[in-house]
Amino acid sequence: MFLAHREREFRKAYQRYYPLIINKIFMKVGSVDDAEDICHELFISFYKKFDQVQDPGKWLFSSIRYEIMKYYKRKDAKSGISVHIDDVENDPNLAFENGFRDIRIVINEAIGNDDNYNDERDRTIFKLVAVNNYTYVEAARQMGLSTRQVEYRYAQTVKRILSYLNDRGIANIGDLL
Amino acid sequence: MKKNDRDIALFKKLMDRYRFTEPVHAEAKRRFIADNRKILVRVLKSVGAFSFLYGVYLAASFALKKIATGATLTKIVVSAVTAASLSYSGYYAVVKIAGLKTEKPVYEQAVQKQDVKNGVAVKKETGPETLEDIRKRYGRLDQLVLYNGKAIQGAILSRGDVYRIYTLRGIMIISRDKIKVVKPL
């Protein structure tokens, strides 16, 4: 019974975080096969430590970097190819400098604010559509929802984020473009 | 363009402009969507938590996800049970309580008793083989057409508020108000 409960909870966590995790890893490593292998390794580690993990989302996202390093370390040892972890981990967003840093911070706050999402599913839809450029149909297939549900939830999230920006003094986002 | 759609389009541009987007190319998206279940199964096999039954459950669960109804397996089962219960209770209410059941002949329980009038022992199991047998035995053959459209052929034994008719299946008792037409054959 305990095992069944554990597996059920694990499966729920997997289905909730898989779309975000796999895309995040792919953005870092740039290879579909490597991303899938790292994702596989990451969820194995997660399963082993499942009972100790308080917040699965935080644990998974914070473990991505470690799993990537571990994966390439092992791969390098096998193939003898040298890969610079610093290059792999080079996130173009961190190098962003164009004078609009303050606005970027405000937008980042709006996107990161939990109040702008009804639940974790809304956040996943938002990240898939707005960040990873999934179409509504692709996001719906990934999430197991109908396209209309995805479209509606995304529209509601955007509405809340724009309202948040409006409260921060950004009445017309057209001005920022 | 609706205001909502315009806002979404502007927001998309904003995300691009401030480099919040991390676009994933189409082939990668297709693979990630297709391999969702495969990776879960690989993980479960690696940690030894995979079984045949669990595999079947996962296959069903992911098949539902592919249909993209947004419903879980549990929800589907609960909905199916609820729909079946409602259908049956609706049928029961209409047929049993409101008395709108389609006319079903009531066979006389005591078909094995002797028919005094004709002196013929009628048994349900050993009834006449053809309508001609009935005609020969009773000297007539009638047809009752019911309001529900059903036609019953046999020899009428008695009339009144209730009709008794001898048929190939035994003696039937039918309320007169169910009978639309009586005609000899």
Side-chain angles (χ1 to χ4, degrees):
Chain A
M1 184 68 189
F2 170 73
L3 190 66
H5 173 75
R6 190 174 190 268
E7 284 168 0
R8 194 167 59 241
E9 290 303 312
F10 172 77
R11 185 176 53 81
K12 277 185 190 170
Y14 174 87
Q15 287 182 332
R16 181 177 298 167
Y17 294 109
Y18 166 81
L20 298 179
I21 295 289
I22 192 82
N23 285 311
K24 190 81 182 168
I25 295 171
F26 176 70
M27 290 316 300
K28 288 187 180 298
V29 301
S31 157
V32 175
D33 292 329
D34 286 357
E36 287 191 343
D37 286 344
I38 293 165
C39 186
H40 171 234
E41 298 288 331
L42 178 63
F43 276 102
I44 288 174
S45 304
F46 177 58
Y47 185 89
K48 286 175 182 169
K49 296 190 176 172
F50 189 70
D51 297 328
Q52 303 157 29
V53 175
Q54 297 289 324
D55 185 335
K58 273 186 186 168
W59 190 93
L60 285 165
F61 281 104
S62 59
S63 303
I64 286 176
R65 190 172 187 276
Y66 172 72
E67 285 297 334
I68 291 172
M69 288 200 296
K70 205 169 78 176
Y71 178 80
Y72 279 110
K73 213 171 173 182
R74 202 169 55 233
K75 199 173 178 183
D76 291 349
K78 278 183 185 171
S79 64
I81 299 167
S82 176
V83 175
H84 297 286
I85 290 299
D86 289 341
D87 292 341
V88 171
E89 279 291 294
N90 187 19
D91 186 341
N93 287 332
L94 297 177
F96 179 77
E97 283 182 36
N98 67 354
F100 296 107
R101 188 179 289 275
D102 291 345
I103 293 167
R104 196 170 190 279
I105 288 169
V106 174
I107 296 169
N108 202 27
E109 276 176 7
I111 293 170
N113 189 355
D114 290 341
D115 295 340
N116 291 330
Y117 306 96
N118 271 337
D119 52 24
E120 201 61 40
R121 199 177 266 189
D122 272 4
R123 189 189 291 273
T124 306
I125 289 170
F126 177 80
K127 288 205 171 171
L128 289 178
V129 176
V131 178
N132 298 130
N133 279 1
Y134 275 59
T135 62
Y136 293 136
V137 175
E138 288 167 339
R141 285 183 63 201
Q142 182 69 286
M143 300 286 297
L145 296 170
S146 70
T147 310
R148 282 174 67 91
Q149 280 176 308
V150 168
E151 200 172 343
Y152 176 77
R153 279 169 174 261
Y154 179 70
Q156 293 300 310
T157 305
V158 169
K159 206 172 169 182
R160 282 190 289 268
I161 289 173
L162 292 180
S163 170
Y164 181 94
L165 291 174
N166 194 25
D167 293 344
R168 297 289 178 282
I170 303 171
N172 182 13
I173 55 169
D175 297 341
L176 303 178
L177 300 171
Chain B
M1 190 188 270
K2 286 182 193 172
K3 184 182 180 298
N4 215 16
D5 294 340
R6 199 180 61 237
D7 284 348
I8 288 172
L10 277 175
F11 184 74
K12 185 78 187 153
K13 282 183 186 170
L14 189 76
M15 293 288 285
D16 287 337
R17 174 80 176 82
Y18 287 89
R19 297 192 198 172
F20 283 103
T21 51
E22 295 175 345
V24 176
H25 61 76
E27 175 58 22
K29 282 191 274 191
R30 193 192 61 73
R31 281 274 302 273
F32 296 154
I33 292 169
D35 293 348
N36 190 343
R37 176 172 157 259
K38 206 172 87 180
I39 293 176
L40 176 60
V41 170
R42 264 175 70 194
V43 170
L44 291 173
K45 280 182 178 171
S46 302
V47 296
F50 187 79
S51 66
F52 174 74
L53 279 179
Y54 199 39
V56 171
Y57 174 78
L58 284 179
S61 174
F62 277 88
L64 283 175
K65 269 186 79 174
K66 261 189 186 174
I67 300 168
T69 54
T72 62
L73 195 60
T74 315
K75 279 182 189 170
I76 297 266
V77 170
V78 170
S79 305
V81 169
T82 309
S85 309
L86 286 174
S87 305
Y88 181 74
S89 57
Y91 171 79
Y92 187 84
V94 170
V95 171
K96 301 277 184 183
I97 298 170
L100 296 177
K101 189 176 181 180
T102 50
E103 178 63 29
K104 190 177 178 182
V106 179
Y107 288 95
E108 194 169 48
Q109 295 297 313
V111 287
Q112 292 179 2
K113 286 182 183 173
Q114 271 202 340
D115 187 302
V116 178
K117 189 178 174 184
N118 298 288
V120 177
V122 179
K123 283 188 180 177
K124 204 174 173 182
E125 299 81 8
T126 58
E129 289 183 349
T130 65
L131 289 171
E132 282 309 308
D133 292 343
I134 296 175
R135 190 195 292 277
K136 277 179 193 168
R137 185 175 296 161
Y138 292 96
R140 64 183 183 281
L141 196 61
D142 305 300
Q143 177 168 284
L144 305 185
V145 180
L146 307 183
Y147 280 106
N148 65 7
K150 193 167 184 177
I152 298 167
Q153 292 169 336
I156 295 172
L157 301 177
S158 68
R159 296 168 191 255
D161 287 342
V162 173
Y163 274 57
R164 291 172 71 237
I165 180 167
Y166 187 84
T167 68
L168 293 173
R169 298 175 64 190
I171 296 171
M172 294 169 63
I173 299 169
I174 300 163
S175 175
R176 193 171 72 178
D177 56 4
K178 304 279 195 254
I179 301 170
K180 189 178 179 184
V181 179
V182 177
K183 57 181 180 184
L185 290 176

